[in-house]
Amino acid sequence: MMEEGLKKVEKVVLVSALVLVLIGIVEIFVGYHTNSVGLIADGTDSISDSVVSFMVWFGLRISKRKADKKFNFGYYRVETLVSMIVAMLMIAMSIYIFYNAYLRLRNPVELNYPIAAIITLTAGGLISLYLAIVKNRLSEKYNLLSLKADAKVSIKDWTSSFVILAGVLLSYFGFKWGDAIGALIVSFYIVFVAITTIKQASLVLVDGFNNPELVKYISSIIGKHSAVKLKELKLRMTGPYIIGEVTLNVESEMTIGKVHAMKNKIREDIMKRVSGVKDLTILAEPEGVYESTQKLI
């Protein structure tokens, strides 16, 4: 089921990349002829976003490769690494947009054919909005960090288009600086999105896990089995999947067969109820072992 979902995600990301290239080319062309630095910035932004989508697509394909002697646990974290690279590209892009917007703010000019700029930005913004909705739904469904980053890029893309649209409208009504102001706002927004993505990716790459609701939910599933007590629960992300290790305290009178059956039942319950769990190791210790060891020390 997960593998089929990833194939669907790949197709969506690839189509998104191609559409963004087309939007970017059109916006830069119209921006050049209308003399709109905001529209040129938005077009540059769209082409940069297409590179992001291409990278996410590539990362998803690589992450599906099977484990080998070098990568014993598979290539899943390539997807997380790609999201980090994506964020860094976004920061570089924002610097470029900021610089050009600043120059135009110092020397504002009147726009040519502003109606053409308005139509182009509106169309580009609506298309990016649709892509953002689709990618955001898929990222939530399949728990893909790189796709979440790409969805944020698309959200940024359509909001950027409408912010720049507002600036173009200001220029159209006589406020020449409006076009440059719109581009400046977009550059700051890009940095904010990039920093958020870097934080999330860094947490995964250093084996952090910040989802207390999920930890509580899994603990409640284990708690329904009265014959065992939860001693320790460890979770970590590896690409789109979750890998966990559970340590249980069991009654010392329980036979090995019963312990084994209980472990399998708990593992089955968690895997069935929590989507995205790739592997789950369950360890069992007789109750009182830890306390006895402490006394001996």
Side-chain angles (χ1 to χ4, degrees):
M1 184 70 176
M2 186 68 169
E3 297 301 325
E4 289 298 319
L6 290 179
K7 288 180 181 179
K8 180 180 178 181
V9 169
E10 282 182 32
K11 290 179 181 178
V12 169
V13 172
L14 184 58
V15 170
S16 170
L18 296 173
V19 170
L20 288 172
V21 169
L22 182 60
I23 291 174
I25 292 172
V26 171
E27 287 186 335
I28 290 173
F29 177 80
V30 176
Y32 177 78
H33 287 282
T34 59
N35 205 25
S36 170
V37 69
L39 193 49
I40 292 174
D42 199 44
T44 304
D45 184 25
S46 292
I47 291 178
S48 300
D49 292 347
S50 73
V51 174
V52 169
S53 291
F54 276 123
M55 289 182 65
V56 171
W57 173 77
F58 177 74
L60 288 171
R61 288 190 68 85
I62 291 293
S63 69
K64 292 194 302 182
R65 293 177 62 179
K66 294 181 179 180
D68 53 33
K69 292 181 180 179
K70 190 173 184 180
F71 293 90
N72 299 165
F73 297 98
Y75 289 77
Y76 301 117
R77 288 201 177 180
V78 170
E79 184 260 340
T80 307
L81 181 61
V82 166
S83 69
M84 183 80 96
I85 297 171
V86 164
M88 292 177 180
L89 280 175
M90 289 169 65
I91 291 175
M93 177 178 58
S94 69
I95 294 171
Y96 171 79
I97 293 173
F98 177 86
Y99 176 72
N100 285 280
Y102 172 72
L103 293 179
R104 178 56 61 87
L105 187 62
R106 292 185 62 182
N107 298 288
V109 298
E110 189 173 341
L111 300 183
N112 302 320
Y113 314 110
I115 298 300
I118 291 169
I119 293 172
T120 303
L121 284 166
T122 302
L126 291 174
I127 293 171
S128 295
L129 173 59
Y130 175 75
L131 292 174
I133 292 171
V134 173
K135 287 190 279 191
N136 194 57
R137 285 177 179 173
L138 290 174
S139 69
E140 292 297 329
K141 183 176 181 179
Y142 298 109
N143 198 29
L144 293 163
L145 185 58
S146 64
L147 187 60
K148 286 179 182 178
D150 195 23
K152 287 177 182 176
V153 168
S154 291
I155 292 170
K156 179 267 303 171
D157 203 29
W158 75 262
T159 52
S160 298
S161 293
F162 288 121
V163 167
I164 292 174
L165 174 61
V168 169
L169 287 171
L170 284 172
S171 296
Y172 178 68
F173 288 111
F175 301 95
K176 294 181 181 180
W177 43 263
D179 183 43
I181 290 294
L184 285 173
I185 292 172
V186 167
S187 69
F188 286 116
Y189 182 41
I190 292 171
V191 170
F192 172 76
V193 173
I195 290 174
T196 301
T197 301
I198 288 173
K199 285 181 178 179
Q200 292 177 339
S202 300
L203 189 66
V204 173
L205 290 174
V206 298
D207 261 351
F209 192 85
N210 185 27
N211 192 338
E213 292 82 10
L214 182 59
V215 172
K216 186 176 179 180
Y217 180 59
I218 293 177
S219 299
S220 69
I221 294 173
I222 298 170
K224 292 178 181 179
H225 299 269
S226 57
V228 301
K229 292 181 181 178
L230 176 62
K231 179 181 178 181
E232 192 172 34
L233 173 60
K234 297 178 182 178
L235 300 173
R236 67 185 177 106
M237 295 297 302
T238 176
Y241 300 107
I242 299 170
I243 291 179
E245 182 181 300
V246 179
T247 303
L248 304 172
N249 278 333
V250 300
E251 297 173 357
S252 55
E253 295 80 12
M254 286 183 70
T255 64
I256 294 176
K258 287 183 178 180
V259 171
H260 183 70
M262 182 62 68
K263 286 166 57 178
N264 285 342
K265 176 60 178 172
I266 292 173
R267 187 177 189 278
E268 182 182 325
D269 285 350
I270 294 174
M271 298 283 283
K272 186 186 298 182
R273 299 184 189 184
V274 182
S275 62
V277 177
K278 179 71 174 177
D279 192 23
L280 191 64
T281 302
I282 300 182
L283 307 173
E285 296 178 357
E287 260 188 316
V289 169
Y290 178 76
E291 290 79 0
S292 301
T293 304
Q294 286 293 93
K295 289 178 181 179
L296 289 174
I297 294 172

